[in-house]
Amino acid sequence: MREILPVLNGWYAAGAPFGLATVVAVHGSAPRAPGAAMAVGPGGEVVGSVSGGCVEGAVFELAQEVLADGTARPATFGYSDDDAFAVGLTCGGELTLLVRPVTPDLDPSFGAVARSVAAGEPVIVATVTDGPAPPGAVLAVWPDRTAGTLGSGGLDAAVTADARGGLALGATGLRHYGPHGRRREDAVSVFLQSFAPPPRMLVFGAIDYAAAVARIGDFLGYRVTVCDARPAFATPARFPAGVEVVVDWPHRYLGGTRTDGRTVICVLTHDPKFDVPLLAAALRRPAAYVGAMGSRRTHDERRALLLEAGVTDAELSRLRSPVGLDLGARTPEEVAVSVAAEIVALRWGGSGAPLTATTGPVHPPAGGRSPPAR
């Protein structure tokens, strides 16, 4: 979708209607992931792909029909046992698409979304794919605003909350709701497409705790990198598949790595020659979370060394040390849960207290919840 968006925005700005087909679900082996898109524009011009060639002809016809009648519709394509050359996927998988018409009248937020994507501003586009809600209805969700509607205030509110959670992790996928937004119902299917890259988790120190933290970071949707200056420890075999492993001095690697307000930095080396230059750099750059492992004595010694290195009290106030919430964790896996819990609580303003001791909504708006009951 990102690749074809400049062309689509040109059509949109010119007021030229186009049919947009988006992969919203994949089952089994399929050539494209959710979010892949193909569009049919003026004069039958085609951009993008939803299957690498298997079903594009049929999608072209569907897009023409959608443009003619102005009604969005889902479509599913799968493997045909009777005729492998029929409209289907010879790889044996199944794709579900939503094909919808796009015009300034039908989707007033499309231009704003395109501008945000071009500027690197995170946004999620939520689209009704099925159920008793307007088919193809669109709600665009930014961290600080929304545009459009899915046809119900309750549905808009529920999807906005979920979209902002997904935006923090760059998540794309189908969600299911009741007609008025109840999450325990599945009458309405809504496709949430994120235009934000997954946030980074940078784990420094290739120890056993790092493997557990990397695993839970990957599970939470982070793009995880483990860095250590010691080649004997920083080996891919010691970490989950999909986790990047880098051999480099931690502060040097961080110096050449872009971070932003969603980046999580976990320092697990508890060795001053690594920790001090690394944390001095980490505390002076954008990051959502900077945590360092070690005992309280280690923390006090490390704090003194950081002050000697010129780190200010204001910068030190960002440091989460000792790392994690007080769960009584002992094993590497339990410590990883403690660290993940602190990251989530810090992101959403959670207190870390048991829900039995708090009041108000279980899922409050970003920024905090009610204080513990007295």
Side-chain angles (χ1 to χ4, degrees), residues 4-352:
I4 67 174
L5 198 54
V7 175
L8 305 188
N9 195 40
W11 292 344
Y12 183 86
F18 58 90
L20 178 61
T22 305
V23 178
V24 299
V26 170
H27 301 282
S29 176
R32 301 299 302 273
M38 166 183 159
V40 179
E45 183 181 353
V46 176
V47 293
S49 171
V50 291
S51 74
C54 297
V55 302
E56 269 69 6
V59 174
F60 177 86
E61 298 297 331
L62 272 174
Q64 297 280 47
E65 294 173 15
V66 161
L67 282 171
D69 64 23
T71 303
R73 66 198 69 176
T76 298
F77 298 95
Y79 180 76
S80 169
D81 290 325
D82 296 329
D83 183 358
F85 295 99
V87 175
L89 300 173
T90 55
C91 59
E94 183 178 275
L95 289 175
T96 299
L97 313 177
L98 178 71
V99 188
R100 65 183 180 96
V102 179
T103 67
D105 289 337
L106 293 172
D107 188 355
S109 65
F110 188 91
V113 168
R115 289 191 295 273
S116 289
V117 174
E121 180 184 17
V123 59
I124 275 188
V125 177
T127 310
V128 174
T129 66
D130 199 12
V138 173
L139 174 69
V141 180
W142 289 266
D144 59 350
R145 65 192 189 281
T146 64
T149 179
L150 303 180
S152 157
L155 184 58
D156 287 349
V159 171
T160 295
D162 289 347
R164 286 184 173 143
L167 199 57
L169 294 174
T172 287
L174 275 175
R175 295 290 187 101
H176 304 281
Y177 305 87
H180 300 290
R182 289 181 62 87
R183 291 182 175 83
R184 287 179 291 179
E185 301 178 19
D186 59 3
V188 180
S189 298
V190 179
F191 181 62
L192 274 62
Q193 184 169 12
S194 173
F195 291 97
R200 299 289 304 275
M201 173 181 277
L202 306 176
V203 180
F204 294 97
I207 60 175
D208 49 357
Y209 289 93
V213 170
R215 187 175 299 111
I216 202 166
D218 181 64
F219 175 75
L220 289 174
Y222 287 91
R223 175 189 162 200
V224 183
T225 299
V226 176
C227 176
D228 198 302
R230 300 164 294 184
F233 293 93
T235 60
R238 301 184 64 234
F239 296 93
V243 171
E244 179 185 31
V245 180
V246 173
V247 179
D248 200 351
W249 277 83
H251 72 280
R252 184 168 60 194
Y253 176 76
L254 182 62
T257 301
R258 180 181 178 274
T259 64
D260 59 28
R262 302 183 302 151
T263 303
V264 165
I265 299 173
C266 298
V267 179
L268 309 182
T269 47
H270 50 82
D271 182 332
K273 69 175 177 291
F274 296 123
D275 292 359
V276 173
L278 172 61
L279 287 171
L283 293 170
R284 291 167 174 156
R285 59 166 50 223
Y289 177 91
V290 180
M293 177 177 280
S295 67
R296 298 193 186 281
R297 177 179 176 179
T298 297
H299 166 74
D300 291 340
E301 293 172 349
R302 185 164 49 210
R303 187 177 187 280
L305 290 171
L306 287 168
L307 288 170
E308 288 178 13
V311 178
T312 67
D313 286 326
E315 291 165 344
L316 274 171
S317 69
R318 299 178 60 205
L319 180 61
R320 317 294 291 193
S321 174
V323 71
L325 296 186
D326 181 12
L327 304 183
R330 294 290 187 274
T331 68
E333 291 74 19
E334 290 173 345
V335 170
V337 171
S338 166
V339 173
E342 184 174 46
I343 291 168
V344 173
L346 189 63
R347 183 198 311 151
W348 296 116
S351 66

Side-chain angles (χ1 to χ4, degrees), residues 351-368:
S351 66
L355 287 172
T356 53
T358 64
T359 59
V362 172
H363 302 288

